[in-house]
Short mmCIF file of all heavy atoms in Angstrom, two decimals:
data_model
loop_
_atom_site.label_atom_id
_atom_site.label_comp_id
_atom_site.label_asym_id
_atom_site.label_seq_id
_atom_site.Cartn_x
_atom_site.Cartn_y
_atom_site.Cartn_z
N VAL A 27 80.12 96.53 95.68
CA VAL A 27 79.91 95.79 94.45
C VAL A 27 80.66 96.49 93.33
O VAL A 27 81.39 95.86 92.55
CB VAL A 27 78.40 95.65 94.12
CG1 VAL A 27 78.27 94.87 92.78
CG2 VAL A 27 77.71 94.88 95.23
N ILE A 28 80.49 97.78 93.21
CA ILE A 28 81.12 98.55 92.14
C ILE A 28 82.65 98.47 92.25
O ILE A 28 83.39 98.32 91.25
CB ILE A 28 80.69 100.01 92.16
CG1 ILE A 28 79.17 100.10 91.85
CG2 ILE A 28 81.40 100.82 91.09
CD1 ILE A 28 78.58 101.47 91.93
N LYS A 29 83.18 98.62 93.49
CA LYS A 29 84.59 98.51 93.72
C LYS A 29 85.16 97.14 93.34
O LYS A 29 86.20 97.04 92.74
CB LYS A 29 84.92 98.82 95.18
CG LYS A 29 86.43 98.90 95.48
CD LYS A 29 87.10 100.02 94.79
CE LYS A 29 88.54 100.15 95.11
NZ LYS A 29 89.21 101.30 94.50
N ALA A 30 84.42 96.09 93.74
CA ALA A 30 84.86 94.70 93.37
C ALA A 30 84.90 94.51 91.87
O ALA A 30 85.87 93.93 91.35
CB ALA A 30 83.96 93.69 94.02
N ILE A 31 83.94 95.01 91.16
CA ILE A 31 83.88 94.89 89.70
C ILE A 31 85.02 95.69 89.09
O ILE A 31 85.68 95.20 88.13
CB ILE A 31 82.52 95.34 89.19
CG1 ILE A 31 81.36 94.40 89.65
CG2 ILE A 31 82.56 95.35 87.65
CD1 ILE A 31 80.04 94.87 89.24
N THR A 32 85.28 96.89 89.62
CA THR A 32 86.34 97.69 89.05
C THR A 32 87.70 97.03 89.24
O THR A 32 88.54 97.03 88.35
CB THR A 32 86.33 99.10 89.74
OG1 THR A 32 85.05 99.72 89.55
CG2 THR A 32 87.41 99.95 89.17
N LEU A 33 87.90 96.49 90.44
CA LEU A 33 89.19 95.78 90.71
C LEU A 33 89.31 94.58 89.80
O LEU A 33 90.42 94.28 89.32
CB LEU A 33 89.24 95.39 92.22
CG LEU A 33 89.48 96.51 93.18
CD1 LEU A 33 89.30 95.97 94.58
CD2 LEU A 33 90.86 97.12 93.03
N ALA A 34 88.25 93.81 89.64
CA ALA A 34 88.35 92.58 88.89
C ALA A 34 88.61 92.76 87.38
O ALA A 34 89.33 92.06 86.76
CB ALA A 34 87.05 91.78 89.06
N PHE A 35 88.02 93.85 86.81
CA PHE A 35 88.09 94.01 85.36
C PHE A 35 88.94 95.16 84.87
O PHE A 35 89.30 95.21 83.68
CB PHE A 35 86.62 94.22 84.80
CG PHE A 35 85.78 92.99 84.94
CD1 PHE A 35 84.85 92.93 85.97
CD2 PHE A 35 85.88 91.95 84.06
CE1 PHE A 35 84.01 91.84 86.09
CE2 PHE A 35 85.04 90.83 84.19
CZ PHE A 35 84.12 90.74 85.22
N PHE A 125 90.13 93.25 96.86
CA PHE A 125 89.10 92.56 96.09
C PHE A 125 88.42 91.43 96.92
O PHE A 125 87.18 91.35 96.97
CB PHE A 125 89.62 92.01 94.81
CG PHE A 125 88.67 91.12 94.04
CD1 PHE A 125 87.64 91.70 93.28
CD2 PHE A 125 88.76 89.72 94.06
CE1 PHE A 125 86.79 90.90 92.59
CE2 PHE A 125 87.88 88.96 93.38
CZ PHE A 125 86.89 89.47 92.65
N ALA A 127 88.36 91.22 100.21
CA ALA A 127 87.65 91.85 101.30
C ALA A 127 86.33 92.39 100.85
O ALA A 127 85.31 92.24 101.55
CB ALA A 127 88.46 92.97 101.92
N CYS A 128 86.23 92.96 99.65
CA CYS A 128 84.99 93.48 99.14
C CYS A 128 84.00 92.35 98.87
O CYS A 128 82.81 92.47 99.19
CB CYS A 128 85.23 94.29 97.85
SG CYS A 128 86.04 95.89 98.06
N ILE A 129 84.48 91.26 98.31
CA ILE A 129 83.60 90.10 98.10
C ILE A 129 83.06 89.55 99.39
O ILE A 129 81.86 89.20 99.50
CB ILE A 129 84.37 89.00 97.30
CG1 ILE A 129 84.70 89.53 95.90
CG2 ILE A 129 83.56 87.73 97.21
CD1 ILE A 129 83.54 89.85 95.01
N ALA A 131 82.73 91.14 102.22
CA ALA A 131 81.75 92.14 102.77
C ALA A 131 80.40 92.01 102.07
O ALA A 131 79.39 92.13 102.73
CB ALA A 131 82.34 93.53 102.58
N ILE A 132 80.39 91.78 100.79
CA ILE A 132 79.13 91.64 100.07
C ILE A 132 78.36 90.44 100.56
O ILE A 132 77.19 90.49 100.90
CB ILE A 132 79.37 91.58 98.54
CG1 ILE A 132 79.90 92.92 98.04
CG2 ILE A 132 78.10 91.19 97.81
CD1 ILE A 132 80.36 92.85 96.59
N TYR A 133 79.06 89.28 100.60
CA TYR A 133 78.36 88.02 100.94
C TYR A 133 78.03 87.92 102.40
O TYR A 133 77.19 87.09 102.78
CB TYR A 133 79.31 86.84 100.57
CG TYR A 133 79.20 86.50 99.09
CD1 TYR A 133 80.12 86.97 98.18
CD2 TYR A 133 78.18 85.64 98.61
CE1 TYR A 133 80.00 86.65 96.81
CE2 TYR A 133 78.10 85.31 97.28
CZ TYR A 133 79.01 85.82 96.39
OH TYR A 133 78.94 85.50 95.07
N VAL A 136 74.73 90.84 102.64
CA VAL A 136 73.45 90.55 101.97
C VAL A 136 72.51 89.72 102.87
O VAL A 136 71.32 90.06 103.02
CB VAL A 136 73.72 89.85 100.64
CG1 VAL A 136 72.43 89.29 100.04
CG2 VAL A 136 74.33 90.84 99.67
N MET A 139 70.95 91.95 105.51
CA MET A 139 69.95 92.86 105.01
C MET A 139 68.55 92.15 104.93
O MET A 139 67.52 92.80 104.97
CB MET A 139 70.31 93.41 103.63
CG MET A 139 71.46 94.39 103.71
SD MET A 139 71.85 95.09 102.07
CE MET A 139 73.23 96.17 102.53
N CYS A 154 81.99 100.37 104.08
CA CYS A 154 82.08 100.78 102.65
C CYS A 154 83.28 101.76 102.47
O CYS A 154 84.10 101.52 101.57
CB CYS A 154 80.77 101.35 102.21
SG CYS A 154 80.85 101.87 100.49
N THR A 158 86.57 100.41 100.41
CA THR A 158 86.46 100.74 98.97
C THR A 158 87.14 102.09 98.63
O THR A 158 87.65 102.20 97.48
CB THR A 158 85.01 100.82 98.55
OG1 THR A 158 84.31 101.86 99.28
CG2 THR A 158 84.33 99.51 98.78
#
Side-chain angles (χ1 to χ4, degrees):
V27 177
I28 297 176
K29 185 65 175 183
I31 295 175
T32 303
L33 287 171
F35 293 100
F125 172 77
C128 290
I129 293 297
I132 294 171
Y133 278 95
V136 169
M139 290 182 179
C154 180
T158 61

